[in-house]
Amino acid sequence: MLGWPGYRVYRQEIDEPAKRLKLWVRRKRGNRKLICSGCGRKLAEANDSYEREVRDLPCFEFRTTVVVELYRVRCPDCGVKTEKVPQLPSKAPFSKRFEEAVGLACESAAVRPVARQFGLASSTVRAIDVRYLSRWSEERRKPALRQMGVDEIYLGKKQKFLTVVSNLETGEPLWFGGERKKQTLDEFLEKHLSGFQRSAIRAACVDMWEPFRQSLEQWVPECRIIYDKFHILQHASQAVDEVRRAEFFRKGGAARDLVRGKRWLLLSSWLNLDRGKRRQLNALFALHRRILKAYLLKESLSHLWDYSYEGAMLNYLQKWIDQLGWQRLKPMEKLAGMLLAHLEGILNYCRTKVPMGVVEAVNGNIKALLRRGRGYRDMNYLLLKAQRLAATKTEFVAFQKAA
Ligand SMILES: [Zn+2]
């Protein structure tokens, strides 16, 4: 009944009104092999014994604690050490399976409701979750990195940017960096990968951001840089927004009111808008031809990735740039200049197939976690959480439902 192999209950106390159960357990007679917690060496002799009380899974509706009789060993290498017991992986007063139950609950709910459910403090739940995820991370085999994504997330005025390196094939984030400088990516490539691991990287999806390009060129010169759709369209959206802002300041009265608050609408793709929203945009476009032109240019740029042959892609891009000639849209002209300067990396999309949308999905998952969590001051926790989400694929769907 206890489910602690090799142990038996020798005493129990039931507090019926408080619904608490306390069990005292010790080793069964034949179970005499002790393991040093320092080095894993097997020892036959115990030095002394002591008791430790941990919270375990509830027994029926009784909150259950277990008092375990443990031994200390005299290890020739480590000196006097506590024995290693699989059900007690950390110094915290909880059994492994209790921590697993809490960690599992944290996969589908925020910290606060989990804390309420188990009668624990939020900080305790967070600490348990970190240990649960760290153990999972240490035990699993990590897939090789052949295609990597580099992205940044804006955290706000104080912390600014977070650089996110991800594995495009598995869709999981691998590493977080504090800023978005060349040194940021250098640190990952230099310190977190071996030379062999670096040589395995075939492609990298990045934003058109010079420091990242320089870092990749230095550390993984063989790797092909691909400027992906997601990032390029982000720049196109920014250009539309610049046009919108210029119109706002240029015009007054009703025309200005129409522009107000339309930022998010303009960032959306026409296909994703319902009838009411399309009508709102049409009303805006009727008075602001420049915004309409910019919006159409952004929309048509997204079709650049409909082509899988270099020549066709280049042809489409050339036509797209030609359209700008007579429109006098400064932000779009700037974007065109940027695209031409990064032409090789854009065309590389046709030369090396990388899954599109992964960078965007990883980015979206992390942002969803940040929105839900609030408590992610610990970046390591955030990373573990995002990795677990990617590995269990509970990710996106669950969050979209919540939103
Ligand atoms: Zn030892």
Side-chain angles (χ1 to χ4, degrees):
M1 195 178 111
L2 186 67
W4 285 53
Y7 285 78
R8 65 185 172 88
V9 181
Y10 68 95
R11 193 182 145 197
Q12 73 249 16
E13 230 176 63
I14 301 176
D15 184 345
E16 197 78 55
K19 298 248 178 265
R20 277 167 198 268
L21 171 66
K22 196 166 174 180
L23 301 172
W24 280 259
V25 308
R26 62 162 61 122
R27 285 166 174 272
K28 284 180 185 165
R29 216 171 293 266
N31 182 15
R32 268 287 164 196
K33 254 183 223 127
L34 303 170
I35 297 167
C36 167
S37 63
C39 63
R41 178 198 288 263
K42 284 188 186 128
L43 294 145
E45 291 289 308
N47 188 61
D48 60 341
S49 73
Y50 66 106
E51 283 189 333
R52 221 182 115 185
E53 189 172 333
V54 295
R55 187 161 162 201
D56 205 344
L57 292 178
C59 193
F60 304 111
E61 75 267 49
F62 288 78
R63 177 192 279 217
T64 305
T65 49
V66 178
V67 182
V68 199
E69 188 180 273
L70 295 166
Y71 293 96
R72 265 182 284 261
V73 292
R74 191 181 292 276
C75 173
D77 291 332
C78 314
V80 175
K81 274 267 171 191
T82 57
E83 63 162 326
K84 187 178 167 187
V85 178
Q87 263 310 328
L88 304 170
S90 80
K91 289 198 165 68
F94 308 104
S95 70
K96 186 181 178 202
R97 58 186 179 186
F98 178 79
E99 296 206 331
E100 271 162 12
V102 174
L104 209 60
C106 285
E107 280 180 14
S108 49
V111 166
R112 219 182 291 170
V114 174
R116 214 176 303 127
Q117 181 194 340
F118 287 90
L120 296 165
S122 290
S123 56
T124 309
V125 169
R126 242 174 253 127
I128 290 176
D129 199 19
V130 170
R131 284 196 295 274
Y132 165 74
L133 293 168
S134 306
R135 282 199 289 272
W136 163 76
S137 175
E138 279 157 24
E139 278 163 21
R140 78 191 176 119
R141 272 180 63 183
K142 288 173 186 85
L145 178 61
R146 285 175 301 220
Q147 301 186 336
M148 73 180 225
V150 184
D151 193 15
E152 72 243 0
I153 290 180
Y154 184 68
L155 292 176
K157 275 193 188 127
K158 225 174 160 188
Q159 288 166 288
K160 300 268 197 252
F161 288 95
L162 179 70
T163 292
V164 180
V165 176
S166 51
N167 183 332
L168 292 181
E169 287 175 301
T170 60
E172 77 170 300
L174 299 175
W175 183 80
F176 287 162
E179 281 168 284
R180 53 165 187 166
K181 296 177 179 163
K182 177 175 178 294
Q183 294 93 300
T184 316
L185 195 52
D186 284 349
E187 193 195 327
F188 171 74
L189 294 168
E190 185 186 0
K191 305 210 175 107
H192 293 260
L193 297 179
S194 65
F196 177 74
Q197 284 173 313
R198 279 196 294 272
S199 68
I201 301 174
R202 295 271 157 268
C205 255
V206 293
D207 191 7
M208 297 176 286
W209 179 247
E210 194 55 18
F212 287 166
R213 193 193 61 75
Q214 289 170 351
S215 176
L216 288 166
E217 217 139 79
Q218 180 184 341
W219 293 102
V220 279
E222 298 297 311
C223 147
R224 202 164 244 177
I225 294 176
I226 299 157
Y227 299 116
D228 69 325
K229 181 176 176 175
F230 170 62
H231 283 120
I232 293 173
L233 290 182
Q234 264 184 346
H235 287 283
S237 290
Q238 275 161 22
V240 173
D241 199 47
E242 274 175 50
V243 174
R244 181 194 67 93
R245 240 178 305 158
E247 283 289 281
F248 181 82
F249 290 115
R250 207 165 60 88
K251 295 192 175 173
R256 178 181 272 207
D257 286 339
L258 265 176
V259 179
R260 204 188 301 273
K262 295 290 190 315
R263 181 158 182 261
W264 289 108
L265 222 46
L266 282 166
L267 296 184
S268 310
S269 165
W270 188 254
L271 287 172
N272 297 334
L273 297 174
D274 60 28
R275 264 174 58 201
K277 297 213 167 104
R278 286 182 181 183
R279 203 175 305 130
Q280 280 183 46
L281 272 190
N282 276 329
L284 167 71
F285 293 152
L287 278 177
H288 298 272
R289 305 307 288 179
R290 295 165 71 83
I291 299 182
L292 171 64
K293 284 176 200 165
Y295 185 80
L296 290 176
L297 283 164
K298 180 199 79 172
E299 290 285 280
S300 66
L301 185 62
S302 72
H303 291 293
L304 186 59
W305 291 271
D306 294 352
Y307 299 93
S308 47
Y309 293 99
E310 257 178 83
M313 197 183 198
L314 184 60
N315 195 23
Y316 186 87
L317 184 62
Q318 194 55 58
K319 276 195 195 133
W320 186 86
I321 291 171
D322 288 345
Q323 285 177 55
L324 298 176
W326 42 275
Q327 312 235 24
R328 287 177 294 118
L329 291 167
K330 267 267 141 32
M332 283 293 167
E333 284 165 23
K334 228 175 72 194
L335 174 63
M338 197 176 187
L339 296 178
L340 285 175
H342 296 84
L343 195 56
E344 276 301 298
I346 294 170
L347 296 177
N348 272 344
Y349 166 71
C350 299
R351 297 168 187 150
T352 303
K353 279 288 160 232
V354 289
M356 281 282 154
V358 174
V359 173
E360 195 177 359
V362 170
N363 191 320
N365 277 342
I366 294 166
K367 281 184 184 159
L369 279 172
L370 285 168
R371 262 200 308 281
R372 273 170 35 134
R374 289 178 292 268
Y376 291 112
R377 256 157 287 160
D378 176 2
M379 282 296 149
N380 180 46
Y381 183 26
L382 179 64
L383 181 61
L384 284 167
K385 197 88 190 157
Q387 287 176 335
R388 177 73 184 165
L389 279 179
T392 53
K393 307 277 178 214
T394 41
E395 35 169 340
F396 232 17
V397 201
F399 286 127
Q400 277 177 339
K401 272 187 202 146

